[in-house]
Amino acid sequence: MKKLINSIITKPFVRNIIILASGTAAAQAISILLSPIITRLYGPEAYGLMGTFMAIVAILTPIAALTYPIAIVLPKTDAEAKGLIHLSLTISVIIAGTISVILLVFNQTIIDLFQLSEIRSFLYLIPITILCAGILQVAEQWLIRKKQFKISARVTFLQALLSQGSIVSIGLFYPMASILVIIQSLREGLRAFLMFLFMKKTDGNPLVKVENKKFSKKILLKKYNDFPLFRAPEVFLNALSQSLPILMLTSFFGPASAGFYSISKTVLNVPTQLIGKSVGDVFYPRIAEAANNNEDLPKLIKKATISLAIIGIVPFGIVIMVGPWLFSNVFGPDWLSAGEYARWIALWSFFAFINQPSVRTLPVLSEQVFQLKYTVFMLLTRIIMLGIGYYVFSSDELAIALFGISGAFLNGGLILITLKKSKKYNRREDN
């Protein structure tokens, strides 16, 4: 048994997952330890305002560079990958600048249209956050390409320590929603800064100028145009569907309901961030390599998915069974309703947790168009479910229940479809 465990641990794929997960585990340990203090300092309404702001940011940041950073892993040469880095950063600056102008010109119109009066003073943080997100995406994908997972693990821990520690220390004297919003909006900038700091020491500077005309921005724009054309709309719509509950709950039931959802999603993101994202980050270059070498893709996807299911059944199952009791005891009696939300969100989150290998496989299969169409279908379904909960039943808990159940079915369906497409891809490559 000892030899079997050692043989598994020493495999590069498993070892890299362990490295990433260890940093995330340390970061999540900090968050878990400090969350009961934070929830008692700030309360549901402050969390709700922070959640509303971050929901808007979460919709925009995935397209900060039109998803070109995702392509950094794919080129055979580092020179081409560095060309994509320069292209991505240029696009991020342009998008952040454009959004700044829009906010300056149409500030009041945007506030009235989306009912954002309670967070109007924070809107000008959005362009800064988007620019930081673009830089972070570049740094993350370069580290994934170079398999520098130790740097990612170290940065994840330091970011959590600095950001969560700041929220608590400042909250002891000034427990206002503005503190939560400002610190959360600067998290990605801090993470990107730390990544480039460590990266420069170990792997040189990936921002070295690329002189080769073969990899000019114009050529790269065209070569990887499926990312802005199909992947960017997909990640935008997926982010919209993820943030939709907070925005709709704020509009329908008030900021407290949004706060309950925010803390529930934060807690349930722990296993996703701890294991799911780590597996996904390591799986992405592995599945790309497997596709290039004509390996059995369905087998790899099944193995990774089943492994995640075995890991995730315990934490998500516990929340489904005793969510209300758990939340009221850990975060305080004011958060009992968050536990009811969490039961249904856990059902959806479990399937989102195990579909990480499938999501990372679709770009490798060149299935960006399908992913976009499926995401549109998911978004429409989720809007309908939340609308039924509000307009038909006038119940926030029932709205979340319908949202969670539909999310479970949709993510499960994505896994099955991806497996089917990977089989067709294998047959096509064999021919």
Short mmCIF file of all heavy atoms in Angstrom, two decimals, residues 227-248:
data_model
loop_
_atom_site.label_atom_id
_atom_site.label_comp_id
_atom_site.label_asym_id
_atom_site.label_seq_id
_atom_site.Cartn_x
_atom_site.Cartn_y
_atom_site.Cartn_z
N PHE A 227 -11.01 32.76 -29.64
CA PHE A 227 -11.14 33.10 -28.21
C PHE A 227 -12.02 34.33 -28.00
O PHE A 227 -12.99 34.27 -27.23
CB PHE A 227 -9.75 33.28 -27.58
CG PHE A 227 -9.07 31.97 -27.29
CD1 PHE A 227 -8.30 31.34 -28.26
CD2 PHE A 227 -9.22 31.34 -26.07
CE1 PHE A 227 -7.69 30.12 -28.02
CE2 PHE A 227 -8.62 30.11 -25.80
CZ PHE A 227 -7.86 29.50 -26.79
N PRO A 228 -11.74 35.48 -28.65
CA PRO A 228 -12.65 36.62 -28.46
C PRO A 228 -14.02 36.41 -29.11
O PRO A 228 -15.02 36.94 -28.61
CB PRO A 228 -11.90 37.78 -29.13
CG PRO A 228 -10.99 37.15 -30.10
CD PRO A 228 -10.57 35.85 -29.47
N LEU A 229 -14.07 35.64 -30.21
CA LEU A 229 -15.34 35.45 -30.91
C LEU A 229 -16.28 34.50 -30.18
O LEU A 229 -17.50 34.71 -30.17
CB LEU A 229 -15.08 34.92 -32.33
CG LEU A 229 -14.48 35.91 -33.32
CD1 LEU A 229 -14.20 35.22 -34.65
CD2 LEU A 229 -15.40 37.11 -33.53
N PHE A 230 -15.74 33.47 -29.57
CA PHE A 230 -16.58 32.44 -28.96
C PHE A 230 -16.33 32.25 -27.47
O PHE A 230 -17.27 32.14 -26.68
CB PHE A 230 -16.39 31.11 -29.71
CG PHE A 230 -16.67 31.20 -31.17
CD1 PHE A 230 -15.65 30.99 -32.10
CD2 PHE A 230 -17.93 31.51 -31.64
CE1 PHE A 230 -15.90 31.08 -33.46
CE2 PHE A 230 -18.19 31.60 -32.99
CZ PHE A 230 -17.18 31.40 -33.90
N ARG A 231 -15.04 32.19 -27.06
CA ARG A 231 -14.76 31.94 -25.64
C ARG A 231 -15.11 33.15 -24.79
O ARG A 231 -15.65 33.01 -23.69
CB ARG A 231 -13.29 31.55 -25.46
CG ARG A 231 -12.96 31.08 -24.03
CD ARG A 231 -13.75 29.84 -23.67
NE ARG A 231 -13.56 29.45 -22.29
CZ ARG A 231 -12.62 28.62 -21.86
NH1 ARG A 231 -11.78 28.08 -22.72
NH2 ARG A 231 -12.53 28.31 -20.59
N ALA A 232 -14.79 34.36 -25.26
CA ALA A 232 -15.08 35.56 -24.47
C ALA A 232 -16.58 35.73 -24.21
O ALA A 232 -16.99 35.95 -23.06
CB ALA A 232 -14.50 36.80 -25.14
N PRO A 233 -17.44 35.61 -25.24
CA PRO A 233 -18.88 35.67 -24.94
C PRO A 233 -19.33 34.57 -23.99
O PRO A 233 -20.19 34.79 -23.13
CB PRO A 233 -19.53 35.49 -26.32
CG PRO A 233 -18.51 35.94 -27.29
CD PRO A 233 -17.19 35.54 -26.69
N GLU A 234 -18.71 33.38 -24.14
CA GLU A 234 -19.09 32.26 -23.25
C GLU A 234 -18.75 32.55 -21.80
O GLU A 234 -19.58 32.36 -20.90
CB GLU A 234 -18.39 30.98 -23.72
CG GLU A 234 -18.78 29.72 -22.97
CD GLU A 234 -17.99 29.54 -21.68
OE1 GLU A 234 -16.81 29.87 -21.67
OE2 GLU A 234 -18.58 29.09 -20.67
N VAL A 235 -17.52 33.01 -21.53
CA VAL A 235 -17.13 33.26 -20.15
C VAL A 235 -17.89 34.47 -19.59
O VAL A 235 -18.20 34.53 -18.40
CB VAL A 235 -15.60 33.48 -20.00
CG1 VAL A 235 -14.84 32.24 -20.38
CG2 VAL A 235 -15.12 34.68 -20.79
N PHE A 236 -18.23 35.43 -20.46
CA PHE A 236 -19.04 36.58 -20.02
C PHE A 236 -20.42 36.12 -19.58
O PHE A 236 -20.90 36.48 -18.50
CB PHE A 236 -19.15 37.60 -21.15
CG PHE A 236 -20.13 38.71 -20.86
CD1 PHE A 236 -19.78 39.75 -20.00
CD2 PHE A 236 -21.39 38.71 -21.43
CE1 PHE A 236 -20.69 40.77 -19.73
CE2 PHE A 236 -22.29 39.72 -21.16
CZ PHE A 236 -21.94 40.75 -20.31
N LEU A 237 -21.05 35.30 -20.41
CA LEU A 237 -22.39 34.82 -20.08
C LEU A 237 -22.37 33.87 -18.89
O LEU A 237 -23.29 33.88 -18.06
CB LEU A 237 -23.01 34.12 -21.30
CG LEU A 237 -23.33 35.04 -22.48
CD1 LEU A 237 -23.76 34.23 -23.69
CD2 LEU A 237 -24.42 36.04 -22.10
N ASN A 238 -21.31 33.06 -18.79
CA ASN A 238 -21.19 32.17 -17.64
C ASN A 238 -21.02 32.97 -16.36
O ASN A 238 -21.63 32.66 -15.33
CB ASN A 238 -20.00 31.23 -17.83
CG ASN A 238 -19.91 30.19 -16.74
OD1 ASN A 238 -20.86 29.48 -16.45
ND2 ASN A 238 -18.77 30.12 -16.09
N ALA A 239 -20.19 34.02 -16.42
CA ALA A 239 -20.02 34.89 -15.26
C ALA A 239 -21.31 35.60 -14.91
O ALA A 239 -21.64 35.79 -13.73
CB ALA A 239 -18.91 35.90 -15.53
N LEU A 240 -22.05 36.01 -15.95
CA LEU A 240 -23.34 36.65 -15.72
C LEU A 240 -24.30 35.71 -15.00
O LEU A 240 -24.99 36.11 -14.05
CB LEU A 240 -23.93 37.10 -17.06
CG LEU A 240 -25.30 37.79 -17.01
CD1 LEU A 240 -25.23 39.06 -16.17
CD2 LEU A 240 -25.79 38.11 -18.41
N SER A 241 -24.32 34.45 -15.44
CA SER A 241 -25.21 33.48 -14.81
C SER A 241 -24.78 33.19 -13.37
O SER A 241 -25.62 32.92 -12.51
CB SER A 241 -25.26 32.18 -15.63
OG SER A 241 -24.02 31.50 -15.58
N GLN A 242 -23.46 33.25 -13.11
CA GLN A 242 -22.95 33.02 -11.75
C GLN A 242 -23.34 34.19 -10.84
O GLN A 242 -23.65 34.01 -9.65
CB GLN A 242 -21.43 32.88 -11.78
CG GLN A 242 -20.90 31.70 -12.55
CD GLN A 242 -20.98 30.39 -11.79
OE1 GLN A 242 -21.12 30.38 -10.58
NE2 GLN A 242 -20.88 29.29 -12.50
N SER A 243 -23.29 35.42 -11.38
CA SER A 243 -23.56 36.62 -10.59
C SER A 243 -25.04 36.98 -10.56
O SER A 243 -25.46 37.82 -9.76
CB SER A 243 -22.77 37.81 -11.15
OG SER A 243 -21.39 37.57 -11.11
N LEU A 244 -25.80 36.35 -11.42
CA LEU A 244 -27.21 36.67 -11.55
C LEU A 244 -27.98 36.60 -10.24
O LEU A 244 -28.77 37.51 -9.93
CB LEU A 244 -27.84 35.73 -12.58
CG LEU A 244 -29.19 36.11 -13.15
CD1 LEU A 244 -29.07 37.40 -13.95
CD2 LEU A 244 -29.73 34.99 -14.04
N PRO A 245 -27.81 35.55 -9.42
CA PRO A 245 -28.57 35.48 -8.18
C PRO A 245 -28.36 36.69 -7.27
O PRO A 245 -29.32 37.20 -6.69
CB PRO A 245 -28.04 34.20 -7.51
CG PRO A 245 -27.52 33.38 -8.62
CD PRO A 245 -26.96 34.36 -9.61
N ILE A 246 -27.12 37.15 -7.15
CA ILE A 246 -26.85 38.29 -6.26
C ILE A 246 -27.56 39.54 -6.77
O ILE A 246 -28.22 40.26 -6.01
CB ILE A 246 -25.34 38.54 -6.15
CG1 ILE A 246 -24.66 37.37 -5.44
CG2 ILE A 246 -25.06 39.84 -5.41
CD1 ILE A 246 -23.17 37.51 -5.30
N LEU A 247 -27.45 39.80 -8.07
CA LEU A 247 -28.07 40.98 -8.64
C LEU A 247 -29.60 40.92 -8.55
O LEU A 247 -30.25 41.91 -8.21
CB LEU A 247 -27.64 41.14 -10.10
CG LEU A 247 -26.13 41.32 -10.33
CD1 LEU A 247 -25.83 41.36 -11.81
CD2 LEU A 247 -25.63 42.58 -9.64
N MET A 248 -30.16 39.74 -8.83
CA MET A 248 -31.62 39.60 -8.79
C MET A 248 -32.13 39.57 -7.34
O MET A 248 -33.20 40.13 -7.05
CB MET A 248 -32.05 38.33 -9.54
CG MET A 248 -31.79 38.42 -11.04
SD MET A 248 -32.35 36.97 -11.99
CE MET A 248 -34.13 37.22 -11.96
#
